Amino acid sequence: MPNIAAKSFPAADAPRPKYVEVALPLPLRQTFTYVLPIGLQENVKTGARLIVPFGKRQLTGYAVALHAELDPELEIEASALKEAVELIDAEPLLTEEIVRLTQWTADYYTSSWGEVLKASLPAGINATTEQIYTITAKGRDELIKLSTAKTAKVQILQSLNETGETAAREITKKFGASAAQRGLRELVKENWASTFHRTLTTQVKPKRRKAVRLLPPEFHKPNQKNLTQVQERIVEFLLKENGEIVFTDLIERADASASSIQTLAKHGLVEIFVQEIFRDPLQDATLPEITDLVLTEEQNTVLTEIEKALEVERYKAFLLHGVTGSGKTEIYIRAMKSTLERGKSALMLVPEIALTPVFSRRLRAVFGNEVAILHSNLSTGERFDEWRRLKSGTARIVIGTRSAVFAPLGNVGLIIVDEEHDGSYRQHESPFYHGRDVAIVRANFANAVVVLGSATPALETFHNSHVGKYGYLSLPNRIGNRPMARAELVDMREVFKTDGKNTIFSPQLLEAIEETHARREQSIILLNRRGFSSFVLCRTCGEAIRCNNCDITLTYHKREAKLVCHYCNHRERAPHKCPACASKFIYFVGEGTEQIEDILVRKFSNLKIARIDRDTTSRRKSFEETLMQFSRGEIDMLVGTQMLAKGHDFPNVTLVGVITVDAGLAMPDFRAAERTFQLLTQVAGRAGRGTLQGRVLIQTYHPEHYALRHAQTQNYENFYAEEINFRRNLNYPPFVALASILVKHSNYNYAFDNAEILRQCLQKADGERACHILGVAPAPLARLKGEHRLQILIKARNRTKLRETLDFALADAQEKFCDLRIVNVEIDPVNLM
């Protein structure tokens, strides 16, 4: 694990702070010091949000340190510092633990601390400011003299006179950006208008509704008249509802009127009050029945080791290496129970939003309202309320995707990272971080236990367990000693020889589908490529239709009749003729999940077939609904991408067909073989989880590849032995530390010039030649979203040397006027594309 740096926090008896260090949510790797006005000095605390000036703007920042005096080594004059404008939080939203964790994250991943802090809070919670303009007395006098003038400046002045205080965005909308900016600047300079910033309310707030509750007899007023029939019905209904209900629900369900309820309130029988409503993501969910399962001997051994570590209350990391269907989830639940019994809280990370419905329902069924959910597919209000339940301690278990690693849990005792190998834990946009590795560091900070679970661990994780960095826990057998699915490689070269043409489905797979559904069993068909056709080609001139913004061909989506870029979402109509030569001979090449679904619906018209990919699951809860229908047997076959490969338990699935994985093997990335092996092993694990043995058919033109051979036997150890030698021989992780630098800009020459400055600074910083610097070179995806992408790779046997070289080079490059705004640094990248 990397070195952990901690920021010191002021003691409770520290002198009154005069200065505050603020991290701003900007792509800047530094904090800023502000003067605290006397009115804020007693109230501001570390972790609170403040409004501070930054250039001509006012921004929401985060207090990360308080100082009574300025550090003399920084050579900062107090007179040069600006004052903080406003304190937003009387009580900090960010705990000291989260401030410390986000600082480590920003330092390790060379990210902006302010951006990491912002990412740790629920969306919509941050206050924003807007610039307001108003006319001055001098401006009104001048307006009388200039009433006949028609310049933009005068028109803006007239508008301010008519509307009073006006936001800059409204003026820009009315007069255009250029005219508004120039006119407002001149008006303020001449003192005809003044400007100030106004703090806007946050986008998300607690939800409050009017409610009614029964009052005890001592509140009833004497000499009351007999209740009417409607009033009696209201009282009886409230008694059934434990004495309290939302006002509108009472009217609707008790068939009552608002006046009847208000009359009861006047008589002191009921009270009408404002009630806070928590928005529950699982409010209408059907929870599974909980049965008391008996653990196997292997499960008991694993659970005992985890509970021993929980008892000690010191940091301990485990790799839980269990084959698919071995009962890892039950161990997670029992470990959480042990954690809660010890008065601590538990955090569970899953790689995909797709996995949260199943896990969260099961956890809610076991732990009730102590479970909270955090992921981006919740509504803003739901996420805000779940976050508040965790912050208040009402909920002590959280399940979520990578950003949930920053959940405001107190007294963390256990962190579980399920499917720890999954690349989805990596944040590929600023702020960069890896959810799994941050979870390990959080466990270290909290003296907690962290369990990394997977059937196909990341090579680095398995290597760490071999060298003793992590404890190794194994579940080598499925529950009930059920056999693993029987995997077969279908050589599509032989199919081509027989058919004399390329075919999507081999006869073996089509026959297996027939047999499976004749037995009333279910199947899953995997192709890790969405859309209908991979790209569009002109058979006359050979032109492939490419994205205007990216160095990539457009994918044809038949139902939309559109060509779509899967990177920037550029869309255009599918052509009837070649845009280059006007030929009508347009050829749609390759296949995606949409085409696979179409073919299967035609071939097996008697089957209910559904597709799961990003195109079909864009509507909220659509993915969850489809999975539940499949689980209930209402759908016979699922067609989809890798979303189907992870964590799902469908006992009636006995066949998994993989159309092809050859494209994944051909990726220019040293992890291509590892990803392919993991995908195949994981999807094979969806078959045969009930009483019957499953079957997996993998179609390929490269059956001799070692990743496919070992996926066929589902033997991780054999794959690891072969892959680790490849990594060792070619100096790849885990034997070296790796950093990837991407320099991105719309102008290629500008990007290249800055990349060259950075390369020279890296070579200068690496005086001991401890690093191997590769590049500057075009990235495998050389242009995305209108930006040219140039890549520099840095390898080093010593992680400390790599960071020293990188940090020195970045500082040197900044002094040489390298534009670091277009430089993205990824430490331990999981994708080199």
Side-chain angles (χ1 to χ4, degrees), residues 2 37 131 167 502 559 641 661 679 787:
Q131 193 164 13
N502 284 324
R559 296 194 182 171
T641 57
V661 289
L679 178 63
E787 293 181 321

Side-chain angles (χ1 to χ4, degrees), residues 216-226 266-269:
E218 56 265 28
F219 288 92
H220 299 181
K221 293 183 179 179
N223 304 320
Q224 289 180 15
K225 297 179 181 178
N226 292 333
K266 288 178 183 177
H267 293 161
L269 274 72

